């Protein structure tokens, strides 16, 4: 996932630093190759220090250039030995001799040099933390995580390690849920509920997670909220929206919703004047629910011809034809389409390049499908909070990536007036 507010210090992608990249390069390995990993990390850190001191090891300090105050001697300091560090990754545990140095400061004092490749007090790679946390979030207890990952980490993961990682993930989750959104340039919201199965009172129960995606000015999608509020009532959705506003979310310019009554009521009370698009996929399902099985194929063909027409004028013409035909053939289908009103066609007010991404809440649907694929071996999650946390964690870790919306280059263009003429 691209760098955004969902990123967690514990669950970031392994590509952020060269140390973490090793987790992608090497599978669990034997001692010989582990030695090469250690040598690589040490060489990288030594090179980093040489750059900071502007000289290799054992070389003299470069002389100052009076004609160039910002020359090689701009940073001075001296080495003073090494310290031992132990690092746990998916390549196993390695012991590293980290070089030490003191750098001169402008105030005439010295400060300890810090490597950017190996963070202070770092004992595990981010990829290792993500693997441990992911196993725990999937419903495995600390002892089972230790046994399951023993082969990966060479038996170096204990119960205490798992517990520490879990506490760190939990603190990151809590911080993410309370972070400020005042600096997020959100122009569009996509809102939908997604169903997951969890264990409540020792029984498998389906719950609904309320998911809010934002679209930034540059078109990048970002997760803003994922909460279990006990259902999709207007009160539940309003609580989620009020929390986002309280944390500084600006009023969006466009909304995409699933068409649920509770969400519609909550948005009408908060942002009643914001153009809103009803998901065309959800409406398609509604139409089929009102038609006998033998007519499903015909309803789908007529509906898709209308929704995926190439222009607003063509959509308007095909809508009128759809209403005339199905009022006679199956009135319930025509009534269901009419119920959606102009909100089913708000996307036609946008530039044509945005239509594909603005017609549906598929961005959330795709996230849910990927989420289910990741937990397919864990059919029932241990709790409602764990389900929400795992949804967030997979995004924060970069294991699920979100691309920019189609037509993002035209997001700043104003919407046209009335979408289409709904007169039959």
């Amino acid at each position: 996932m691209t760098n955004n507010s969902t990123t967690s210090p514990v669950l970031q992608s392994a590509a952020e630093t060269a140390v973490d990249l090793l987790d992608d390069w090497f599978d669990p390995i034997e001692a010989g190759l582990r030695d090469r990993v250690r040598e690589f990390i040490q060489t990288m850190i030594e090179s980093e220090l040489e750059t900071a001191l502007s000289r290799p090891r054992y070389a003299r300090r470069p002389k100052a250039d009076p004609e160039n105050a910002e020359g090689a001697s701009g940073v001075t300091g001296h080495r003073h030995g090494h310290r031992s560090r132990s690092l746990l990754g998916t390549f196993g545990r390695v012991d590293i001799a980290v070089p030490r140095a003191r750098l001169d400061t402008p105030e005439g004092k010295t400060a300890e040099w810090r490597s950017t490749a190996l963070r202070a007090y770092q004992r595990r790679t981010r990829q290792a933390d993500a693997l441990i946390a992911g196993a725990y979030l999937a419903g495995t207890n600390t002892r089972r995580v230790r046994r399951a990952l023993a082969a990966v980490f060479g038996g170096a993961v204990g119960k205490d390690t798992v517990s520490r990682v879990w506490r760190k993930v939990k603190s990151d989750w809590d911080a993410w849920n309370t972070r400020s959104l005042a600096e997020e340039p959100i122009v569009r919201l996509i809102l939908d509920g997604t169903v997951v199965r969890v264990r409540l009172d020792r029984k498998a129960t389906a719950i609904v997670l309320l998911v809010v995606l934002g679209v930034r000015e540059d078109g990048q999608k970002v997760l803003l909220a994922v909460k279990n509020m006990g259902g999709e009532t207007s009160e539940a959705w309003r609580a989620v929206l009020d929390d986002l506003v309280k944390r500084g979310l600006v009023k969006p310019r466009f909304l995409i919703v699933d068409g649920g009554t509770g969400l519609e009521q909550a948005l009408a009370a908060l942002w009643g004047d914001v153009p809103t698009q009803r998901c065309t996929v959800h409406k398609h399902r509604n139409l089929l629910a009102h038609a006998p099985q033998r007519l499903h194929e015909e309803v789908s063909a007529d509906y898709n011809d209308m929704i995926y027409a190439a222009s607003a004028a063509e959509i308007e013409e095909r809508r009128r034809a759809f209403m005339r035909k199905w009022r006679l053939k199956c009135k319930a289908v025509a009534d269901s389409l009419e119920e959606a009103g102009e909100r089913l066609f708000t996307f036609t007010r946008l530039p044509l390049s945005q239509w594909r991404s603005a017609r549906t809440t598929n961005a959330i649907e795709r996230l849910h499908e990927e989420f289910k694929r990741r937990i397919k071996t864990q059919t029932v999650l241990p709790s409602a909070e764990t389900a929400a946390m795992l949804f967030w964690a997979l995004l924060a870790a970069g294991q699920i990536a979100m691309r920019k919306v189609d037509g993002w280059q035209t997001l700043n263009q104003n919407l046209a007036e009335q979408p289409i003429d709904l007169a039959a």
Side-chain angles (χ1 to χ4, degrees), residues 8-55:
S8 158
V10 169
L11 294 170
Q12 289 180 5
S13 169
E16 181 173 333
T17 66
V19 172
D20 294 311
L21 274 173
L22 290 170
D23 277 356
D24 290 333
W25 293 343
F26 300 112
D27 292 323
I29 49 180
E30 63 276 3
L33 192 51
R34 190 174 295 114
D35 289 340
R36 293 176 58 189
V37 173
R38 180 179 62 252
E39 293 171 3
F40 178 89
I41 296 175
Q42 290 183 174
T43 301
M44 178 180 61
I45 298 175
E46 289 282 357
S47 298
E48 185 182 4
L49 180 55
E50 290 176 5
T51 301
L53 295 176
S54 302
R55 66 181 188 277

Side-chain angles (χ1 to χ4, degrees), residues 257-260 264 277-291 299-300 303-304 306-307 322-323 332-345 359-362 365:
V257 301
D258 62 354
E264 294 269 8
Q277 169 65 42
R278 284 272 299 268
C279 176
T280 57
V281 172
H282 282 77
K283 176 48 68 177
H284 183 201
R285 297 170 188 163
N286 292 343
L287 297 183
L288 295 182
H290 286 87
V299 170
S300 295
Y303 181 79
N304 289 334
M306 171 184 62
I307 292 297
F322 186 100
M323 294 297 294
V333 171
D335 290 344
S336 179
L337 182 68
E338 193 169 35
E339 176 273 330
E342 66 180 34
R343 289 192 166 194
L344 190 64
F345 306 98
R359 277 191 291 245
T360 72
T361 59
N362 278 357
E365 297 284 349

